[in-house]
Amino acid sequence: MALVPTQRPSGPASLTQAGTHPSGVCPECGSNRVTALAMTLTDGTPVQFSSCHECEHRLWSHEGEALEFTDVIARATKHKVS
Ligand SMILES: [Zn+2]
């Protein structure tokens, strides 16, 4: 029985990280003076709204992924069709 060492990819196992915009840090200026609020859009999508106190950058994200502002507006104004 040959024990073959398993080749491990370099670096830690790639956990799913949406980390383009880690919550708590402003992607614009890098400040951590960010207020994050959880809210639910009209169509039921739970989002996090972050606002930077330093540069007033606003950021919306859903499950760790940044949302375009226009997408947020679209969702917020979308009427449920059932
Ligand atoms: Zn900022």
Side-chain angles (χ1 to χ4, degrees):
M1 179 200 287
L3 289 176
V4 180
T6 310
Q7 284 286 337
R8 301 190 59 164
S10 62
S14 51
L15 300 171
T16 305
Q17 272 189 351
T20 43
H21 300 294
S23 61
V25 179
C26 174
E28 279 295 303
C29 70
S31 169
N32 59 5
R33 293 183 61 208
V34 173
T35 299
L37 298 171
M39 57 178 69
T40 305
L41 299 182
T42 311
D43 72 346
T45 305
V47 298
Q48 186 180 65
F49 170 67
S50 302
S51 173
C52 176
H53 291 274
E54 292 291 339
C55 68
E56 301 194 353
H57 180 74
R58 306 244 162 105
L59 172 69
W60 302 82
S61 62
H62 169 61
E63 293 180 347
E65 290 187 34
L67 287 178
E68 295 292 333
F69 184 68
T70 51
D71 188 30
V72 172
I73 295 302
R75 288 171 185 266
T77 56
K78 184 163 67 181
H79 295 281
K80 276 186 180 168
V81 182
S82 55

